[in-house]
């Protein structure tokens, strides 16, 4: 055996160190090139999208089932879903903030949110689509904006509930700290409220995007009276393949959708989850953090760091400085105002509020009068059919909620408590939540028919497939938000499994669980329009239910039945929320609020 001299080992060590340093220096440059390439690709995509949207509207679009059309269809669908998500995020933050801090309108806004989240997508369809087409009659943009707004109605409500619930459960000591440091409303939003609600918003964003995929088939291809609206997209591709019984097209469409969902999970959701984990409210830092290699690379990109230091940070500092100057100036002006000036300003503000209220009330009364004129056309038999269908749908919705809660609560707690399990289960759950159940429903329905079932049982399964994810993702967010120090205390005191669930897990996840159940309930009512009325191989199958009434009325253009069925559904959901969910929300805000 030859003994190498020490100098040789020293030289080899120096060479290894030099190579590792060179690799460390070159890697940020490669990452910057990747970021630049992504930016150029996004610019090209925007140009191509603008050419299509601002072109002349296409009277009749034939949906091709060729796999070669899938990349273009997938691109259009992804753009629609993410534009709808961006609109949903801004709306959820603004709506939740206003409802949480304005006591005069809080009850009204939450009641409105209850109503809106219970209204099915197809009930929004006539007004939204006809309005958008009227605004842009000579451009394809009108139909596209209508589809985006319809997807928005299927995404936004659980995010608004989540942000509102997070604001109401902020610990008292954090609010007092913000008051002591004299945070402006903008600083309080950026430094306290958004970080505290980040975990809930992230997981509800994931289920919202999954909801967008679920309703994509209904939003890209539908019939409105005598008009047939079709948009090139993955949803219309899957709906065409399902309605014609083209198994090859369904497989290709699902494969493309799953590929998009997996890429989205690894490139977006995994880094965002790892980033939001730092906002967990705890006194002891956990040793098992959610990690993302992509987030690590982005945080060490020299180009992004330079961009942040020279653009974002100076811009944020200038905003903070301007807000502080305006606040100081307003304080000085208020000190100089006399009592008569203050009374005059208050009267002027009261006048403006009264005028705004009068405009809103006038618009509501005008719409209500026109609605009543439509309701006069509903016959007695149609009215009793709507009531009987409402009762049948009520039973299906609650059955679906019970069955979904039985497995999502323990599964969500397990995923939220174990980061290693979350790395495996979270992408699988995201894929399962995003795959439209309507694309899988033909196979399930045919199997149920063969064993003696039918659409009555199959509709419960479809409701579960579309809404159980609201509960699962909210429970995961609640389990992840439980402070590590509380979990360690439960371990130190050797809590049994029953004691751990009773004193730690259920109280810790309770606000998130209620949010998930409320949004799942509304989502189940919303999903009834697809679950109870389904087209299979050019045949329409339906069962007794309110969703079937709404879908049939939309297809036939009977707007009076559509309006009455929507009103009945909204009234039932609001009544349930007032009798059950609202007291539970108050319990979550008081007894199970995370504070010291």
């Amino acid at each position: 055996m030859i003994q190498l001299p020490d100098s040789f080992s020293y030289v080899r060590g120096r060479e290894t160190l030099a190579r590792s340093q060179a690799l460390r220096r070159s890697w940020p440059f490669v990452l910057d090139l990747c970021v630049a390439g992504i930016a150029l690709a996004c610019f090209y995509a925007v140009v191509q999208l603008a050419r299509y949207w601002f072109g002349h509207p296409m009277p009749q679009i034939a949906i091709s089932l060729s796999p070669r059309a899938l990349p273009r269809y997938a691109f259009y669908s992804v753009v629609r879903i993410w534009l709808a998500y961006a609109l949903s995020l801004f709306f959820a933050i603004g709506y939740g903030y206003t409802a949480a801090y304005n006591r005069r309108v809080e009850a009204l806004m939450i009641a409105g949110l209850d109503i809106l989240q219970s209204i099915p997508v197809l009930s929004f369809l006539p007004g939204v689509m006809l309005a958008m087409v009227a605004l842009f009659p000579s451009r394809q943009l009108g139909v596209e904006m209508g589809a985006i707004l319809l997807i928005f109605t299927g995404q936004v409500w659980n995010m608004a509930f989540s942000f509102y619930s997070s604001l109401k459960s902020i610990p008292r000591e954090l609010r007092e700290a913000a008051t002591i440091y004299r945070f402006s409303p903008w600083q309080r939003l950026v430094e306290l409220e958004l970080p505290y609600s980040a975990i809930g918003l992230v997981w509800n964003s994931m289920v919202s995007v999954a909801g967008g995929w679920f309703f994509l088939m209904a939003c890209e291809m539908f019939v409105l009276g005598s008009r047939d609206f079709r948009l090139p997209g993955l949803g219309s591709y899957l709906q065409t393949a399902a309605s014609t019984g083209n198994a090859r097209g369904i497989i290709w469409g699902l494969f493309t959708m799953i590929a998009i969902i997996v890429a989205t999970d690894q490139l977006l959701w995994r880094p965002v989850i790892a980033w939001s984990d730092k906002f967990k409210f705890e006194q002891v830092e956990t040793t098992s953090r959610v990690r993302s290699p992509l987030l690590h690379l982005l945080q060490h990109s020299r180009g992004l760091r330079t961009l942040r230091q020279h653009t974002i940070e100076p811009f944020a500092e200038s905003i903070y400085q301007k807000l502080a100057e305006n606040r100081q100036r307003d304080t000085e002006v208020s000190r100089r105002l006399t009592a008569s000036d203050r009374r005059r300003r208050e009267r002027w503000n009261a006048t403006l509020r009264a005028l705004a209220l009068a405009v809103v009330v006038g618009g509501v009364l005008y719409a209500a009068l026109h609605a009543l004129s439509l309701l006069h056309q509903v016959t007695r038999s149609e009215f009793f059919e709507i009531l009987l269908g409402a009762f049948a749908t009520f039973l299906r919705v609650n059955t679906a909620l019970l069955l979904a809660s039985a497995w999502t609560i323990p599964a969500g707690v397990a995923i939220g408590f174990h980061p290693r399990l979350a790395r495996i289960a979270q992408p699988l759950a995201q894929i399962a939540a995003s795959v439209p159940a309507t694309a899988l429903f033909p196979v399930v329905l045919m199997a149920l028919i063969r064993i003696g079932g039918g659409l009555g049982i199959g509709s419960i399964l479809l409701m579960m497939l579309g809404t159980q994810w609201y509960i699962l993702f909210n429970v995961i967010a609640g389990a992840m938000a439980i402070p590590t120090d509380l979990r360690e205390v439960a371990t130190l005191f050797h809590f049994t499994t029953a004691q751990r669930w009773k004193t730690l897990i259920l109280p810790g996840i309770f606000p998130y669980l209620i949010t998930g159940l409320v949004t799942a309930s509304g989502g189940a009512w919303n999903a009834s329009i697809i679950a109870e009325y389904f087209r299979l191989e050019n045949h329409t199958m339906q069962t007794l239910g309110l969703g079937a009434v709404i879908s049939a009325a939309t297809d036939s253009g009977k707007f009076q039945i559509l309006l009455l069925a929507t009103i009945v559904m909204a009234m039932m959901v609001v009544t349930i929320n007032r009798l059950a969910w609202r007291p539970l929300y108050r319990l979550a805000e008081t007894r199970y609020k995370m504070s010291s």
Side-chain angles (χ1 to χ4, degrees), residues 122 529 533 542 546-558 561:
L122 291 185
I529 62 174
Y533 187 91
Q542 66 181 87
L546 201 55
V549 174
I550 291 175
S551 297
T554 304
D555 281 355
S556 59
K558 295 181 179 179
I561 297 178

Side-chain angles (χ1 to χ4, degrees), residues 19-260:
R19 283 197 299 269
S20 64
Q21 290 176 347
L23 182 62
R24 195 179 298 114
R25 287 192 299 267
S26 62
W27 180 246
F29 176 73
V30 174
L31 181 61
D32 293 340
L33 287 180
C34 294
V35 173
I38 293 173
L40 290 176
C42 292
F43 177 77
Y44 176 76
V46 170
V47 172
Q48 295 298 318
L49 195 66
R51 288 180 179 175
Y52 167 63
W53 278 10
F54 290 97
H56 294 290
M58 303 177 187
Q60 185 71 28
I61 297 178
I63 303 300
S64 172
L65 294 181
S66 171
R68 296 181 180 179
L70 279 172
R72 180 167 57 91
Y73 288 174
F75 168 70
Y76 288 145
S77 295
V78 167
V79 169
R80 292 180 191 117
I81 285 177
W82 285 104
L83 286 178
Y85 168 74
L87 184 62
S88 302
L89 181 62
F90 285 112
F91 179 89
I93 293 174
Y95 197 96
Y97 188 91
T98 304
Y101 290 115
N102 196 327
R103 294 188 178 276
R104 293 182 177 179
V105 297
E106 180 180 4
L108 180 62
M109 292 185 70
I110 297 303
L113 198 60
D114 292 340
I115 295 172
L116 290 172
Q117 67 116 10
S118 65
I119 296 177
V121 169
L122 291 185
S123 297
F124 289 105
L125 191 150
V128 169
M129 191 56 65
L130 294 178
M132 290 298 103
V133 172
L135 283 176
F136 306 97
S138 60
R139 293 289 183 266
Q140 181 70 17
L141 180 62
V143 183
E144 291 288 340
M145 290 301 297
I148 290 171
L149 287 177
L150 289 175
I151 298 173
F152 161 83
T153 62
Q155 288 184 338
V156 64
W157 316 121
N158 63 298
M159 295 172 61
F161 268 120
S162 173
F163 189 65
Y164 167 79
S165 178
S166 297
L167 292 182
K168 300 296 287 187
S169 60
I170 293 178
R172 185 182 66 255
E173 56 267 28
L174 294 184
R175 294 188 183 277
E176 292 175 351
T179 303
I180 291 172
Y181 285 101
R182 303 181 65 185
F183 277 11
S184 65
W186 173 256
Q187 286 176 306
R188 187 177 61 190
L189 175 67
V190 175
E191 303 293 339
L192 172 61
E193 292 157 350
L194 284 177
Y196 187 83
S197 61
I199 295 178
L201 268 180
V202 166
W203 286 93
N204 274 280
S205 295
M206 294 171 64
V207 77
S208 289
V209 174
W213 286 108
F214 181 84
F215 288 108
L216 190 67
M217 294 173 67
C219 296
E220 287 185 348
M221 186 174 176
F222 51 87
V223 177
L224 183 58
S226 60
R227 304 185 64 175
D228 187 0
F229 289 93
R230 299 187 182 190
L231 292 174
L234 202 52
S236 56
Y237 181 95
L238 283 169
Q239 184 171 345
T240 303
S243 61
T244 57
N246 190 325
R248 182 170 175 269
I250 294 176
I251 292 173
W252 272 109
L254 289 177
F255 175 79
T256 304
M257 183 174 292
I258 291 173
I260 294 172

Side-chain angles (χ1 to χ4, degrees), residues 345-355:
R345 175 178 290 187
E346 291 175 359
R347 286 196 298 269
W348 174 249
N349 290 335
T351 303
L352 289 178
R353 286 195 296 267
L355 287 175

